[in-house]
Amino acid sequence: CPHLGAPLEQGQIDIEDIADESAVPIILCPWHQYDFSLQGGESSTGMKACTFKVEARDGMLWVEPPGDLGDDYRLLGIRAVSERFAEDPSSSSAAPSPSFDILASPPKTLIAFCRLVLLASDPDTKVALTRELVRRFRNGELKTIGTSSDLPPPDEPPRPANVAVVAPGKAQRIGKGGTVQNRIRMMHSLAAIEQWAIDLSIDVVCRFWDWRVGSEDGKTGKRLPMSFFADFLKVAEDEAKHFTLLRHRMKELGTDYGDLPVHHGLWESARETSHSLFSRLAIIHLVHEARGLDTNPRQIQRCKAAGDLASADTLQIIHDDEITHVACGHRHFTALCAALSPPADPVTTFRNEVRTHFYGSLRGPYNDGDREKAGLDQGWYSELQGRAFGAGAELKGGAKDVSEGLADLKV
């Protein structure tokens, strides 16, 4: 919607005069009921939404490219709608409908609902609440982003009592996926990271909702655009899907989430970047998530080599989604840099953030092709080193490198 940039995908489609065969179908924005023509995007409000010509050809849908951008666009991926709310087919209720007692008096603001997700320790509850949060946002049920009375997000989201959380260096190495036991460790590690990834996507919304665009400290300037909230809630929805897919595959392999310890290296990076949206986007979404683009193809190939095509297919779905997640981080990081006066160079700003707030080195080999799809050419990460530890300086968990234990994993 050109009014606030809110997503129209859950808008109601209608025809003003159904008896008129020439009547043009319209879509109503779920936020303020503004109408837009599905043919040209025109609205009775005088605004105009962006539209693209769509044709059906031999059983396929063809979409007109964004011509006003010339050649400055790239296809990030094509995803089946059925993958979006993927559930565990072995269970009638993999992610229970959120008719929980905690929703007897549902939160009135987006930020209050985000905090509810962050405080949920049970993984099924977290997945279900995430989906319900995204649904209510898209339907326009959460019209208020936040208020001064909303409580801050927790310092660290809780985990279930049966899940042992250890320092990054204490977690089991996952091996090369050649044996069933190695693939179980791999799937469990990835499922644990997807749980953190849900929280990280929700936390960036909840923690920085009042960040002001146009200043380095986020205290002055315009508010974040609605697309920021829509994009990162979409990322959270994807991470919930990823966890569900991984957990289903783990059960097929004879294990479940919580059977092995999990590490909190990603959340230590979240603590390190809790002061700045620039830092958070750089370290979590352009370092850790981008690292997944490097490691996923190797894990997929190892599963295929072992004849485990089901695991390979699951990891491929996740990998394709992650390209769009890195692109999301890149889009909003570069927008923050462009809004400064004078504008800051995003590559220089990113590299400075890594040197200051990332512990350890960025190690290859890099998946240059998929990084490029997401907007990261080699200038962003080539020969880039993070912050070196001084004498006695360690993270709370004791790891001297946040990337230790993450080398074969992804967000």
Side-chain angles (χ1 to χ4, degrees), residues 52-133:
F52 300 95
K53 185 177 180 181
V54 180
E55 294 181 354
R57 303 178 187 173
D58 300 324
M60 299 181 66
L61 284 177
W62 291 72
V63 182
E64 175 189 36
D68 59 329
L69 297 178
D71 294 328
D72 189 22
Y73 67 90
R74 59 177 61 88
L75 178 67
L76 294 182
I78 300 175
R79 296 187 286 180
V81 175
S82 60
E83 291 176 6
R84 186 178 189 182
F85 294 107
E87 293 189 356
D88 184 348
S90 66
S91 170
S92 60
S93 181
S97 176
S99 56
F100 317 112
D101 292 339
I102 53 178
L103 287 185
S105 298
K108 302 300 183 183
T109 69
L110 175 66
I111 301 312
F113 209 122
C114 284
R115 191 171 188 274
L116 202 61
V117 176
L118 291 169
L119 290 174
S121 61
D122 175 71
D124 284 338
T125 302
K126 188 181 293 290
V127 166
L129 284 173
T130 299
R131 290 173 173 168
E132 181 66 8
L133 164 63

Side-chain angles (χ1 to χ4, degrees), residues 37 63 74 130 158 171 179 190 229 246 262 295 304 324 370 389:
S37 165
V63 182
R74 59 177 61 88
T130 299
T179 67
L190 294 176
F229 303 102
L246 287 165
V262 304
T295 61
K304 289 181 177 179
T324 70
D370 285 344
F389 275 82

Side-chain angles (χ1 to χ4, degrees), residues 263-296:
H263 66 75
H264 56 37
L266 284 172
W267 200 258
E268 290 294 355
S269 286
R271 291 180 188 273
E272 175 70 18
T273 59
S274 62
H275 66 290
S276 167
L277 184 54
F278 284 94
S279 302
R280 174 61 64 85
L281 293 177
I283 304 306
I284 295 298
H285 300 283
L286 297 181
V287 172
H288 285 302
E289 283 207 278
R291 183 58 178 154
L293 303 186
D294 307 327
T295 61
N296 281 340

Side-chain angles (χ1 to χ4, degrees), residues 233-347:
L233 290 179
K234 178 65 175 71
V235 172
E237 179 188 49
D238 283 347
E239 309 295 14
K241 177 186 77 176
H242 297 170
F243 174 80
T244 304
L245 291 171
L246 287 165
R247 193 175 190 188
H248 170 63
R249 183 59 190 142
M250 287 165 56
K251 289 178 179 179
E252 290 180 333
L253 293 173
T255 188
D256 197 4
Y257 176 68
D259 288 349
L260 297 171
V262 304
H263 66 75
H264 56 37
L266 284 172
W267 200 258
E268 290 294 355
S269 286
R271 291 180 188 273
E272 175 70 18
T273 59
S274 62
H275 66 290
S276 167
L277 184 54
F278 284 94
S279 302
R280 174 61 64 85
L281 293 177
I283 304 306
I284 295 298
H285 300 283
L286 297 181
V287 172
H288 285 302
E289 283 207 278
R291 183 58 178 154
L293 303 186
D294 307 327
T295 61
N296 281 340
R298 296 200 298 272
Q299 303 292 6
I300 293 170
Q301 187 54 45
R302 289 167 180 170
C303 289
K304 289 181 177 179
D308 188 349
L309 300 184
S311 294
D313 289 345
T314 295
L315 297 183
Q316 187 65 57
I317 291 172
I318 293 172
H319 179 73
D320 293 342
D321 287 350
E322 295 298 342
I323 297 175
T324 70
H325 296 181
V326 178
C328 174
H330 173 267
R331 179 166 58 254
H332 290 287
F333 185 83
T334 55
L336 286 180
C337 293
L340 296 175
S341 184
D345 176 66
V347 175

